[in-house]
Amino acid sequence: MSLCSFPSELFCRVLLVATLSLCTVPAFASRDSVPDWVAAAAAKPMATYSAETSAVVLLDDTTLTVGADGKGVEHRRHVVKILRPNGRDEGVVWIPYDKDTKILSLHVWSIAPDGKQYAVKDNEMVDVGYPGQGSLYEDIKMRAVRAPGRDPGGVIAYEYDQRKEPYLHEETWMFQQEIPVANQSFTLELPPGYTYGTVWAHHDQQKAADLEHQRYRWEMNATPGIDLDRVPMHPSELALAGRMTVHYAPVGTSADSLATWRGIGEWYEPLMRDRVLSTPEIAAKAAALTSGKTDFYDKTEAIGDYVQAQIRYFVIEMGIGGQQPHPAADIFRNGYGDCKDKATLLSAMLSSVGVHSTLMAVDHRRGVVDPLAPSIFGDHMIAAIEIPKGYESAKLRSVITAKTGKRYLIFDPTWDKTAFGQLEYNLQGGYGVLFEGKDTEIVELPVLSPELNSVKRSGTFQLAVDGTLKGSLTEKRYGDVSERMRSLYTESDAKQQRSFLDESLSHDFTTVDVEDVKVENAASLSKELTTSYELTAGRYSRSMGPLLMVRPRVLGTEGLPVDRKVRLVPIDLRGTRLIHDDFTIELPDGFAVDELPEPVKLDMGFASYESSSQLTGKTLHYSRTYTVKQVSLPADRYGDLQKLALAIENDEQNHAVLKKK
């Protein structure tokens, strides 16, 4: 897998359906008989599945045959039955390939719901670019076809042979996916003298059946699908899906050494060693950026900000380029690069001012990288900057300590809305591979303090007798919760900015007018993004006879999208955060408070929520603090999350009751 982001399989399939609809593909393939193995899989009695199951894989058999030179050929047979209309996309067959993974043969068959059998001809297949290539160039293509008969009750099958020329002798078997799999196997065929080892992620280790003559097979039956479509606050499918990575090695080397993080690091070190070298031009730029700066943080921040903001994200990957960065000199000269490239240039620039740094492989989906399953499975690269021994600064937030005792500041120069010294929410609490040659190790990434991801709203308002609310509001955002609005105020026009503000306020007001909008620090990631404006909201209060109903919480919705179903998968809380609201409403003359909402104080450990409504003279004061301290929870804490969600919902809808004197 490439060490820079790839679209998800579901995303690829959706885009392929759209792409193929624009291609000239015959509506029906020729009538023909399907092979016996397809007919046998289709005829086998099928288990009962839930009404939400869109399709089921009846058979998936993969055989990897490795030659004496380490190169291999993958043979695969796949049969899927469509159960519901939303399963039609499973009838889109697509096989990725590049210059090193040539497709030697591909055959596609189908059995329509009416029993008619079809065989797709070679001229009915199309070769298309990999979906999502708007900001990247890769030599990866896909051979694809929309099989006929892909309707409920239809069966789609394919068989292919594909050349494998791996840069690292490992292969990952993804045996769990979105839909259930009835029967599947993975067979490894090795030359004499070769050894192998396996690591398993999100699944207990299974022993292979020894078929003799260096042939080994793993089988899985009745593997459940991972359908997260209707599951709120769920982790990535890949953070749950079981997978096996097999490492194999020729005579004189050990497969077991490859199946360690150190082994992965020693393999990768030669790929990056010469790429991170500085040049006179790079050194001159680094010197200019750090001129007059002597503090470690100040120097590294200046270079980090430059690479983050001035080196454009653009991917050019061919062959080994999926894993190996371009030379720092090329990245600097061109002014663009992918995630590996940006981390590489950062390392080269830092080295020229006496700061050591290295690369760290991660996945942008928390939980995908498994510390117990060493492999190159991941999709992103960031930087680890070594902190001088004894150096301390409150600005260093995203810090890890390696087994060597060295401390590193973890920074992602690709994520352009995260301040230097911090780490984006989706990486926090996950794992990264710290590449340091023989000292390479897997490290847990830090979970940052809620104060570093905060929203603070304050406002002073006056309520008129007719229910109109007028006043001024100031909102300060810092960290990931400011990302969307920073993009809005630095990249969008005034019309889009106003439309966003109006839409946001419509959640809390029936009618609202905003004037005198001011925005500060939108481009300054290390400062709070501050937005202030004057607000007039009609019909804010509601009359009920002599009573007037007023909501103390003027604006800001922090509800949680929970449901009442039994929870089976972990809970993704996205990130830690701190929300604080402070509002005062001057009440109209002639009214007194008849009833105030009860104060709320709830501490669930992973999060806390506290609010109060108080009356001083004729001023109603509302204050609340909502703190999320963890980024994920096990499924058995869902009841606590539901309790928290209910408390927030009730508090946000509470009203103070005013009564005419």
Side-chain angles (χ1 to χ4, degrees), residues 557-570:
T557 302
E558 303 299 334
L560 298 168
V562 299
D563 58 20
R564 306 306 302 177
K565 297 179 181 179
V566 175
R567 187 76 179 194
L568 300 176
V569 301

Side-chain angles (χ1 to χ4, degrees), residues 51-53 86 227-232 234 563 565 567:
E52 289 78 24
T53 303
N86 61 338
D227 185 0
L228 302 175
D229 284 349
R230 296 175 181 86
V231 180
H234 62 76
D563 58 20
K565 297 179 181 179
R567 187 76 179 194

Side-chain angles (χ1 to χ4, degrees), residues 330-383:
D330 294 346
I331 304 162
F332 179 71
R333 182 179 60 253
N334 296 330
Y336 62 77
D338 64 14
C339 59
K340 304 184 299 296
D341 295 335
K342 287 170 75 91
T344 295
L345 178 58
L346 177 67
S347 184
M349 297 184 78
L350 288 173
S351 69
S352 70
V353 297
V355 176
H356 170 70
S357 68
T358 187
L359 276 57
M360 175 178 281
V362 296
D363 194 284
H364 81 282
R365 298 152 296 197
R366 181 169 43 238
V368 171
V369 176
D370 190 321
L372 302 179
S375 75
I376 58 171
F377 197 92
D379 70 353
H380 193 40
M381 192 76 81
I382 59 177

Side-chain angles (χ1 to χ4, degrees), residues 37 40 78 117 139 142 165 174 183 218 246 281 328 347 355 373 429 478 542 597 625:
W37 58 270
H78 183 88
Q117 299 183 5
D139 62 345
M142 309 187 94
E165 296 187 21
M174 299 294 300
N183 298 281
W218 294 263
V246 58
E281 294 77 15
S347 184
V355 176
Y478 185 77
R542 293 183 290 128
T625 301

